[in-house]
Amino acid sequence: MFVREAIVIGQKHRDGRKRILLCYLLGLLWYTVTAQIHYSIPEEMEKGSFVGNIAKDLGLELQELSERGTRIVSRGKKQHFVLSVRSGSLLTADRIDREELCSQSARCLLNFNVLVEDKLKIYSVEVEITDINDNAPRFREEDLELKISETTVLGTHFILESAYDPDVGVNSLQGYKLSPNHHFSLLVQNGADGTKYPELVLDRALDREEESMLHVVLSAWDGGEPVLSGTVQILVTVLDVNDNAPVFTQPVYTINVPENVPQGTVLLTVNATDADEGSNSQVRYVLVNIPGKTSKIFQLNSVTGELSTLQNLDYEDVEFYMMEAEAQDGLGFWGRAKIQVTVLDVNDNAPEVTITSVTSSIPENAPPGTVIALFHVHDRDSGENGRVLCSMAGDLPFKLEKKVDNYHSLVTDRALDREQVSEYNITVRAEDFGSPALSTDTHILLHVADINDNPPTFSQSAYSAYIRENNPRGASIYSLTAHDPDSEQNALVTYSIEDSTLSLEAPPLSSIVSINSETGTLYALSSFDYEQFRECQLRVTARDSGDPPLSSNVSLTLFVLDENDNAPEILYPAFPTDGSSGVELAPRSAEPGYLVTKVVAVDADSGQNAWLSYRLLKATEPGLFSVGLHSGEIRTVRTFLDKDALKQNLIVAVTDNGEPPLSATVSVTVAVADSIPDILSDLSSQASPETQDDSLLTFYLVIAVAVVSCLFFAFLVLLLALRLRRWWMLQVVQSAGAPVGGVPSSQFLGIDGVRAFLQTYSHEVSLTTDSRKSHLIFPQPNYADTLISQQSCEQKESPLPAQSLLQGKDEQALFQQAPPNTDWRFSQAQRPGTSGSQNGDEGGTWPNNQFDTEMLQAMILASANEAADGSSTLGGGAGTMGLSARYGPQFTLQHVPDYRQNVYIPGSTATLANAAGKRDGKAPAGGNGNKKKSGKKEKK
């Protein structure tokens, strides 16, 4: 028996391989003809069994399967196959039961799709599951009881229960056979649908008294290899008298039912009658020959014959039901009728959209036709209810393209622009043609990725900026902003300036201005001078950070605004360079309005800063001359008189119209004479008395300075004596052993125990052209003298022992004052100017009184020499007191620095300068209010 089964199994496997090979060849042929891959395999193959070489059939290499993302997609149902990327084969995912999948269908086809994701190509694959004889015919019940009257006529047919075999074809039910007996034979009837119905035929009359019960075995067999069979035990009970069976009113009951009928709905009512009377006419209804699933869906009322639903119907699962109703009387007679239930489709399923592949981002330069998503649309309904139309709402730059097997692709229809729309929320609607129509919306969010397709742009084609000259270095000049509609790095703008030169003499542009590369703010690297250049043009480049970067340029014109930083410059009369003095002649007979000379001046500034006005500051004879306000012409106001001086000194001021105004002065000497020899003789006759007056004034000044110097030295000697005396007293106190309280070192200045004695002594000498109006002012000296006594130095801290003070004295020895500083004299640039215009020495200077005396003596000698030379004035100019041109007419003895006693702090090189000038409200350094340029012109 075992050997026979092994032979049968081996033959089965060989036949199976032949069938597989045949199916494979048929599949290749089918693929060639219909462009669809077709395979055929038997059912019940082990998990992982080979189905076909999908890589070869698709024309792909093994490594391309994984690289191109090849995978199987189905329609949402259970997947029965897997794709082996390693071998390129299609394998079974589990054991496949054909009867479970396709029931009694003649062909069992499983369809799925293979997606090559990289190429977005999809192939349709069809696998046919062939039947094997794995199911034997089965009867619904193992035992069947028949009750036959002994009066039954020979040849009577008794319909038996049909066997059910889920296999198809040759493996399905092929026939019946009856076990050997003496009374019955078997007749097999074929129905219109090919179903075989066994009927038991009475061949020999029954005799209840002879044999009341008969046992017959009915076998059903199929045509598979090996042949499988099923049996049912038939128990025949012999009855007598009852000879009529129930009869239905119609042999077939048909009904069409929509699938959405409620559960428990009565579909139809069957009815059968029995010609017998009494208990033999009572009929009971039952359902026979019902597959397992159908028996759970329908119910037949045994009394009323009403057929009702136990569950909801679903057209998508089963479209047609076939069953049999049997009417039985009390003695075992029955009649049968068929019931056909057709389920009508109702539009109760919305379309199903399965997204197979989708991209969430697409560059804005993607060409039209770029695939965004691939999805499958399926509606479980049938007919018009299952026909689906896909559409998109709104005017979007996309379109839908239909592919094979209800696949659709969403592609771009035209060029995209992220700067206009950066994100699309695409709604794809799948709507069927049912009534009412059902639809499903699928939302796809698509981001448009930016590319660097927009250069930075400025709001203007050209810019202008204005800045005043003499601006501080590093000051912000202007700010430029360029806008880039791109995003992220593509919108990150940096700024730069194209380097160039303003002119051949001008420095490079990069040394004048700079720009912040991030903000676009321009800064001045140097201070602009309007007189050097008045405008410059820059070219600013804005460049984004894209790849490749894009840029744009804009022109920026920088205008320098003038400020009043240049004093007027006097061109005429010019100062003589040969040592002579320039003199203008005016005849004695000149009428009023006579043009004596003209002052010519220019200003390097522009605009109103260069508008000049002239005025007469000082004249020997007021009211004799006038100066044109804008012309600078010096004219006579009246005729000359005999009492008028022959030499007239005029000081003319030239002032610009700036804010603040700057000015320059010039001294003009006008000689009243008809010719040069006349003016020389007149000046010689008048030189003696003036020289005598000037000599007397100089003598008085020398005496005054000498007296002041003597008093100052006497004061210094007295102060030094007092300091030595106090120091000596302190030494005596310390030697006596008296305790000294802790005194902060900051209170001891100069000598131990004595605070610094600060003295300020100043004098002021004012001189005028008239010696009778000269005067000297001697302010009271200021003293700051504090003697810290032993009693005032007591503190809460423990007193310092005398020995420590003596040690400190030994270590420091005797404090020496700093040596005199010989650099206190005026420098060449400091001599001209008003009183208080010179900067004081912060560290303090030691006075040198000899310089005052020497300076005055030099002044006296100069005056005497000029008088000896026949000059009629003191040194060639009124009010100059015989000083040379080095000391201008504005120079007075107020320029002599204050004499200030300086005291040195022990252990420090610093000295204490008198702050009398600050107490008087004067700054330590000052000026005449004009800038350096103006000051230099006055000095000349």
Side-chain angles (χ1 to χ4, degrees), residues 58-303:
L58 294 178
L60 300 175
E61 298 295 335
L62 290 180
Q63 61 180 7
E64 290 182 313
L65 292 178
S66 58
E67 291 176 354
R68 298 187 179 277
T70 306
R71 57 189 175 93
I72 295 176
V73 292
S74 60
R75 302 174 183 174
K77 298 182 179 180
K78 180 180 179 181
Q79 184 56 255
H80 299 282
F81 303 95
V82 295
L83 179 61
S84 175
V85 180
R86 179 177 300 177
S87 62
S89 301
L90 183 67
L91 308 176
T92 57
D94 54 7
R95 187 182 295 272
I96 300 176
D97 188 358
R98 181 190 179 282
E99 288 73 31
E100 182 179 354
L101 294 177
C102 303
S103 186
Q104 296 290 87
S105 300
R107 295 186 66 189
C108 183
L109 299 177
L110 296 180
N111 296 289
F112 58 92
N113 300 102
V114 176
L115 172 66
V116 181
E117 191 167 6
D118 185 24
K119 295 182 177 180
L120 287 180
K121 291 186 177 181
I122 192 164
Y123 300 91
S124 179
V125 179
E126 181 182 72
V127 179
E128 181 179 6
I129 309 300
T130 59
D131 183 52
I132 64 172
N133 192 23
D134 57 341
N135 293 282
R138 293 286 186 269
F139 292 91
R140 187 167 62 89
E141 297 178 356
E142 295 181 357
D143 296 323
L144 180 62
E145 182 179 2
L146 294 177
K147 296 179 179 181
I148 302 175
S149 175
E150 60 181 345
T151 60
T152 301
V153 179
L154 296 177
T156 302
H157 293 197
F158 299 94
I159 300 175
L160 301 178
E161 178 185 359
S162 299
Y164 175 76
D165 192 336
D167 295 328
V168 296
V170 70
N171 296 325
S172 63
L173 180 65
Q174 297 297 319
Y176 298 90
K177 64 179 180 178
L178 192 64
S179 61
N181 62 88
H182 300 287
H183 296 278
F184 300 96
S185 63
L186 183 63
L187 178 64
V188 178
Q189 298 286 351
N190 293 323
D193 56 353
T195 306
K196 299 181 181 300
Y197 299 97
E199 295 181 356
L200 195 62
V201 180
L202 181 61
D203 293 336
R204 180 182 175 185
L206 300 176
D207 187 354
R208 179 183 178 278
E209 288 73 21
E210 182 181 359
E211 190 174 11
S212 61
M213 300 184 68
L214 299 174
H215 295 275
V216 181
V217 177
L218 178 62
S219 299
W221 53 272
D222 57 21
E225 294 182 5
V227 177
L228 301 180
S229 62
T231 60
V232 61
Q233 298 289 335
I234 301 175
L235 177 60
V236 179
T237 303
V238 180
L239 303 177
D240 57 356
V241 178
N242 189 10
D243 55 355
N244 291 296
V247 177
F248 284 94
T249 57
Q250 60 188 55
V252 178
Y253 293 88
T254 59
I255 186 172
N256 297 325
V257 181
E259 60 176 329
N260 60 347
V261 295
Q263 181 179 341
T265 301
V266 176
L267 303 181
L268 55 85
T269 303
V270 296
N271 186 25
T273 60
D274 194 323
D276 295 329
E277 294 181 354
S279 60
N280 293 332
S281 64
Q282 295 179 358
V283 178
R284 184 173 64 92
Y285 302 96
V286 294
L287 290 176
V288 295
N289 295 332
I290 301 178
K293 293 183 179 179
T294 306
S295 61
K296 299 179 180 178
I297 297 176
F298 300 98
Q299 174 181 327
L300 184 62
N301 191 302
S302 60
V303 177

Side-chain angles (χ1 to χ4, degrees), residues 894-915:
Q894 294 176 358
H895 296 83
V896 179
D898 295 342
Y899 300 150
R900 303 179 183 181
Q901 178 67 29
N902 297 276
V903 180
Y904 285 81
I905 300 174
S908 172
T909 60
T911 60
L912 296 179
N914 187 7

